Amino acid sequence: MRPLPEADPGSPDRRSATRFLLWMAARIWPALTASVLFAIVWMVSQALMPAAIGRAIDDGLTDRDRDALLAWGLVLLGLGATQAVSGIMRHRFAVFCWLSSAYRTMQVSVDQANRLGATLPKRLATGEVVSIGTSDVERIGSALDITARGVGSVVGIVVIAAVLLDTSAQLGLVVLLGVPVLMAVVALLIRPLHRRQRSYRDQEGNLATQAGDIVTGLRVLRGVGGERLFSTRYRTESQQLRAAGVRVARVDALLESAQVLLPGLFVALVTWLGARYALAGEITAGQLVASYGYTAFLITPLRTLTELVDKYTKGHVAARRVVNLLNLEPELRDPDQPATIPERGGELVDVTSGLVLRPGRLTAIAAADPADATALADRLGRYTDAEVTLHGVPLEELALATVRERILVADNDARLFSGPLRAELDPRDAAGDAEIAAALAAASATDIVAALPDGLDSHVAERGREFSGGQQQRLRLVRALVADPEILILVEPTSAVDAHTEARIAARLRAARRGRTTLICSTSPLVLDRAEHVIFVDDGKVVAEGTHRELLDSQPRYAATVTRAED
């Protein structure tokens, strides 16, 4: 089997879940076509085995013809070998289709998440995204996997019907008319199953989101005494999800039982009719044995068709979720013709607040309202559109990739991902050991790495949960310093560390960022005293500028803000 394709998913069809599944099938059509062809050969070779057995009985045993018996025995052997080889190849290509469609779904979902950026958590709950990457990709893969066997089953049923029509017109008509009736009965269960699965999927995503929020904020919940309240709420919604799952299971159980009961009744009917025709002399003994073999074989394609309906239903529900994600549009868009700016230098200006960030300096912003500092950082990093210019060019006229490369906003909402610590601190693998060591020293994080068993090669758990809040904050600062952007905006980079550590970081940041533009949003006197220039923001506007000590003497409101005193 050839290797899985690289991450080149193309542009998926977002108009509907059905169109998305068809687009996915078109992307893997060579493997899907091969799987279908092998499935047809696999099913037809099984379907013809009873015919070979019947002819062996009539021509070989009844007529006592050894040559005929040997010939039909060899035909049966050939059919068995064909079935074995085609079954193996069908399975290999079907597994390829399953994996390929699942990974392609994951690729387009991750690509869309990257395209949405900061828009994603505003529009879609975390649980929804997690469910797409876990259960939905599996269901979409299963829908593509069952396609080959479904087509092979239809062809097998048609072959059996044709053979039975040649043997007995009545038996052939029973098969031709009975199969659609069985499928119609199964279809009655699909609509309620589809509806209940969709409701269950919605509740599952909501509960996953709530579980993630509880785990993330567990320390805070314990601190404010809200653990019991949220535990009760989660338990209640969990029971509601369980009840929804039971409702799905009831219809699913009916469908599963129908897969056994209905084909079994159908086989019994055809066998009974064949026995009556044999007793009446309308068919031979070999044809009777063959008829029983045909009906016994029909159990497999009929169960496959009901399985196909079930998996297509689940795959459609999953594809609808993916399409909902793909139809989200980012709040920020690239201009049709992006402007260009010089590589270095240039003032970063926020017209809304009146902030002018001069190049090559360590500037600090102290805001009377912390929300103003956060909003200012979002505007300067173009996480929201506003009147902000760099080199006199509005950020809206620059490509987003250019803005992200030139301006880095590091806040406390950033996460540590699982993997080697070195890769976490230097995702681009562009810095050497000396640069990483310098960043660790500037962020006063050398002790963190020294305490790890394998140093920078140590494995970081999900969200860096083995580190304290202060350690995580320092490691995030290291990551920002290693990136070494032209303009670095730090939002409260020392809020979770002790005063001694904060003083060391404040003393080292200026040297670590010498020659580059740095903006620190903080009201800590230790940080403000080390800044080259301090800007005081009140009610979203710049009201004063100078050094920390100058503002302490001249601005009572500033002094009240940074000393946590009454105005």
Side-chain angles (χ1 to χ4, degrees), residues 172-188:
L173 289 174
V174 167
V175 173
L176 286 177
L177 298 177
V179 171
V181 171
L182 291 180
M183 297 309 302
V185 173
V186 172
L188 295 176

Side-chain angles (χ1 to χ4, degrees), residues 34-46:
S35 179
V36 169
L37 293 176
F38 279 117
I40 291 174
V41 175
W42 177 62
M43 277 289 183
V44 171
S45 60
Q46 293 182 73

Side-chain angles (χ1 to χ4, degrees), residues 2 9 37 125 139 179 227 273 324 341 364 425 438 481 532 537 540 555:
R2 59 191 178 92
L37 293 176
R139 290 169 180 171
V179 171
E227 186 178 5
L273 289 175
N324 289 341
I341 55 176
L425 300 181
L481 294 175
E532 297 178 68
V537 176
Q555 297 291 328

